[in-house]
Structures are given as structure tokens and as C-alpha cells.
Amino acid sequence: MLFTDRADAGQRLAEALRPLAADDPVVLGLPRGGVPVAFHVARELGAALDVIVVRKLGVPYHPELAFGAIGEGGVRVISDDVVRRGGVSQTDVASVEGAEEAELRRRARAFRGDRPRIPLAGRTVIVVDDGIATGATALAACEVARAQGAARVVLAVPVGPPDAADRLGSQVDELVCLSKPYGFSAVGEWYRDFGQTPDEEVVSLLARAAAPSRTATAAPVEVRVEAGGVTLPGELTEAGDGGALVVFAHGSGSSRHSPRNRSVAAALNRAGLGTLLFDLLTPAEEADRANVFDIATLADRLVDVTAWVQRRTPVPVGLFGASTGAAAALRAAAAAAGTEGGAGIDAVVSRGGRPDLAGDCLGDVRAPTLLIVGGDDTQVLELNRQAQARLRCENRLDVVAGATHLFEEPGALDEVAGLAQEWFTRHLATRSG
């Protein structure tokens, strides 16, 4: 498994950790490279984020051999066995610990500033790093978290060698390691972009996570929606202060579990918008690839789902479509515009979509429409330009420079989320007012 960068690794790791969201966990990132991964895990889980600063205590004549570790709050974990076998005197213990204590305080103050450390007593704690080689530092962090009162300690990493993963898995309450490749030699070989994480980035991410959100995000609930004579599973997050809701239309065989759409949905939730992620097709229907391109059926289901949303909570509704889902969203918007008293669709955003597949319906769309395409997704970009020329509604085509079809490049998906948030907030807020 190859990760684009630490943000991508964090988003994928969050999917595996999602069942823990109900435990109200604290996510702890190991500085420096573990913090960007932890930031995205915490953001996707709606969890608190902090940094866990630990210092290993090395045997004086063999520093890479740790006889213990220290953490904030006066926590110390000492291996009496290593101390005894290594012939480490109490004077040596005190000397090493004193030097490392000073460095621990300096690093904690540099990363966290004046913010207090998040208490761990009785909490589920997820310790996150960008990968493990020997796992010694990660294990020390887990031991420190336990000593600080954590009730359950989960170690979560994108990648690590099988032997180290197996060993660590037996020493924590749970290990989540997405990839355990044989022939492992270094963490960085499993990332396309594994640039150094400067202290300034750690400080910035921790500050962003600690900043109060614009609105409290409601917890998502599982729902079942009747549309087109079938029952479709979904995940609904109620509208917050934004007073509107966005329905996601997945495409090309994707599902409500798409990490890219879930990442965008999380950004919209933080802006106060509700979201509904649901499966457009049943499992049996997905088995026939032709159904993915049955734009008429997918659009009819989107109209039904929009009506279901508005019966449940009468709010303005936008559609976010990806790939073939974008064509379905535009066809649904056209149908809704022509239905007297029908379900209203008030804005549309397409991510890497195929709006051209909406065909002659494009001219009937009345909802303000934003088309987002990667600059290096040249074929789809041209199809979007052709489709835009047929739109008669307010519209805009935004090109994310250097991005390919799935927006896997560093920062590309964040740019998509920002553009979508701005479009929906502006147009749906106007409708709700």
C-alpha cells in the first residue's frame, strides 16, 4: 500500500479507526511526522488532538538501548530488567533522566505553547505515528499514555514491518496498522511525499485543532432511505448553524464509504452544513457495471432522496456529485426545476465529474453549479468545458492545478473541500435566508 502523503495516510487510517469515534477518544500525535497523520485522524473522527512528547532514556554507553521513557506530568516508565542487565547505576539513571527532562519540557512548550495538556484519565487514547520501524518510540508513547491514566491505548500507524507490528500488537490494547509489507526497509519508501515535517507545521496543526469550531457538529446517524422502489443505506449528519444539507452522489461504483467524499463531508459539517452520504445502488445492482452509467435511474433516486430529506427536515438542499454521480446530480437538478411543487435542489458541485453524461438536461438546470476538475485530468477537463458551455444557470469551472482525477496530490482534496464549502455556504445560505 502506497500513501500519497501524511494527509492521505491519516484519512485512510481514520476509516479503519471510525468505530472508535463513539468512545470520544483523544488522538495523540508523535512529533514530528506523526502529527500531520494524527491531525487528519482526529478531524475525521471528530476527536480531540494533542501531541504526546516522550523522551527515551538511553543506557549511557549504548544510547540506542532504552532503559525507560519519560513523559509530561512527571511520568516515568523504567525497565528494571534493562537497568539490571545493563549495569545502569542510579546515578546514571538520574543523570540521563535530568537531561531528557529538560528537553521534554522544551519540546512540549514549543509544540503546545500555553495550552494545557489534554487529560487522559479514563479515556480511550489513539497514539498515531506516520509509521514504525522498530516501534520503540511508539511503544514508549503508549506506555506513557497508560501511565497518564488512559483506560485503553490504541496504537495506529499507516505502515510497519510485520515483525515489529506483531510484537507491538501484543503490548497495546489494539494495534491498527494498514500495511505490513515484507521486505520493509524504511517508512519513507511507502509514501510518494515523505518530506520532513518542520516544527512550525506541528505548531500550526495543533493550534488549528484546538481552535473552537464555528458550530458543533452533530453525530452522524445510520438511516435507510426509500428511493425508486429500493431501500438504500446512508449516513446522515443533521444541519448545524448553516441551516442546509448536502446530499452526496457517488459515482463509478464508489459508495458512501469513499474516503474522498467523507473528507469533503467532514469539512462541510465543520462549516455547519448537514450531509447525507448514501449508496445509490444496492449490492445486487452494483454487480452489473452498466448500472453505474444508468444516469436516469440514479437521477430519479436522487430526486426521491432529496424529497425524503426535505420531508424529514425542510432545509435547502445541495448535491455533491463525483464521476458519474455528477451527471446524476445535474439531471436530478434539472428534473426538480421542472416539477411543480417538487423537491428543490438549490446548488450543485461536481468533483472530477462527468457532467457531459447529463446530456440534453444540462440546459434545464437552474441550480447554481460549480464544476471542479484537476488540472492534470486533461480528458475530463475538456468534457467539463464542453458541458459548461451547455449550462444556462449560474456556473463556474474551477481547476485545481497539478491535480489528477482522484485529487490524491498533497493539498488537492483540501482545496476541493474549500471550494465546495464556499459554494454551498453562499448559495444555500441565500435560500435559507
Side-chain angles (χ1 to χ4, degrees):
M1 181 181 292
L2 187 64
F3 302 97
T4 302
D5 55 10
R6 291 181 177 91
D8 174 48
Q11 289 159 6
R12 294 204 223 176
L13 201 53
E15 283 301 305
L17 294 165
R18 196 165 296 281
L20 295 177
D23 296 340
D24 188 27
V26 177
V27 177
L28 301 177
L30 273 161
R32 292 185 292 266
V35 173
V37 181
F39 174 82
H40 289 277
V41 169
R43 188 173 71 172
E44 294 295 321
L45 300 186
L49 173 69
D50 202 353
V51 65
I52 182 163
V53 183
V54 299
R55 298 295 296 175
K56 289 187 293 184
L57 305 177
V59 173
Y61 59 85
H62 192 14
E64 62 270 25
L65 175 62
F67 64 81
I70 58 173
E72 294 175 85
V75 168
R76 62 198 299 269
V77 180
I78 304 294
S79 171
D80 293 332
D81 183 56
V82 175
V83 168
R84 184 177 61 256
R85 288 189 293 108
V88 183
S89 70
Q90 290 306 306
T91 300
D92 289 336
V93 170
S95 175
V96 172
E97 191 171 345
E100 295 297 347
E101 176 67 32
E103 179 62 13
L104 178 109
R105 288 197 301 269
R106 185 196 70 78
R107 289 167 68 86
R109 186 168 54 252
F111 292 140
R112 196 182 290 114
D114 296 330
R115 292 188 304 277
R117 178 170 57 85
I118 296 177
L120 305 184
R123 304 287 296 273
T124 292
V125 168
I126 304 173
V127 176
V128 177
D129 205 354
D130 54 9
I132 54 174
T134 66
T137 301
L139 181 58
C142 291
E143 291 174 342
V144 165
R146 179 81 73 194
Q148 289 173 343
R152 185 180 182 210
V153 177
V154 178
L155 175 60
V157 294
V159 62
D163 55 345
D166 291 344
R167 176 170 44 80
L168 292 175
S170 66
Q171 299 182 65
V172 295
D173 294 313
E174 183 179 351
L175 171 71
V176 176
C177 182
L178 300 183
S179 180
K180 305 173 190 176
Y182 290 99
F184 179 98
S185 60
V187 172
E189 67 181 340
W190 302 100
Y191 285 81
R192 290 194 180 96
D193 178 2
F194 196 65
Q196 287 190 347
T197 302
D199 286 354
E200 293 77 11
E201 182 177 354
V202 173
V203 171
S204 174
L205 291 173
L206 292 171
R208 286 171 59 188
S213 59
R214 289 176 53 187
T215 183
T217 300
V221 296
E222 296 293 326
V223 295
R224 300 185 73 79
V225 186
E226 298 291 333
V230 298
T231 301
L232 305 168
E235 186 175 292
L236 174 69
T237 300
E238 297 283 3
D241 293 345
L245 188 141
V246 177
V247 176
F248 279 69
H250 310 284
S252 297
S254 185
S255 76
R256 68 188 187 281
H257 299 298
S258 161
R260 285 170 290 277
N261 281 349
R262 295 184 78 93
S263 179
V264 174
L268 299 183
N269 294 153
R270 290 191 296 275
L273 296 168
T275 53
L276 173 62
L277 297 102
F278 76 105
D279 292 342
L280 278 164
L281 299 172
T282 67
E285 290 170 334
E286 288 175 353
D288 184 352
R289 180 70 176 169
N291 288 325
V292 174
F293 294 91
D294 186 353
I295 305 302
T297 296
L298 301 182
D300 288 345
R301 290 184 180 179
L302 277 173
V303 171
D304 289 348
V305 169
T306 301
W308 177 86
V309 167
Q310 293 179 324
R311 286 195 302 270
R312 194 177 190 278
T313 309
V315 294
V317 173
L319 298 182
F320 183 96
S323 192
T324 54
L330 288 165
R331 182 160 178 156
T339 302
E340 186 67 29
I345 294 172
D346 301 304
V348 177
V349 172
S350 162
R351 171 185 66 81
R354 290 291 308 276
D356 55 295
L357 296 177
D360 294 339
C361 297
L362 288 169
D364 297 326
V365 176
R366 296 293 174 264
T369 297
L370 172 65
L371 308 175
I372 306 174
V373 188
D376 290 350
D377 192 9
T378 54
Q379 184 175 0
V380 172
L381 177 56
E382 179 56 30
L383 292 172
N384 272 256
R385 285 175 174 147
Q386 294 172 13
Q388 183 188 23
R390 303 175 67 180
L391 290 170
R392 297 293 176 263
C393 57
E394 177 186 350
N395 65 83
R396 194 175 81 207
L397 172 62
D398 282 346
V399 179
V400 178
T404 51
H405 186 61
L406 295 180
F407 298 90
E408 295 178 304
E409 294 70 26
L413 197 59
D414 287 339
E415 186 171 347
V416 170
L419 292 169
Q421 176 188 323
E422 182 275 331
W423 191 262
F424 284 130
T425 300
R426 176 153 57 93
H427 292 288
L428 299 184
T430 299
R431 296 288 297 183
S432 61

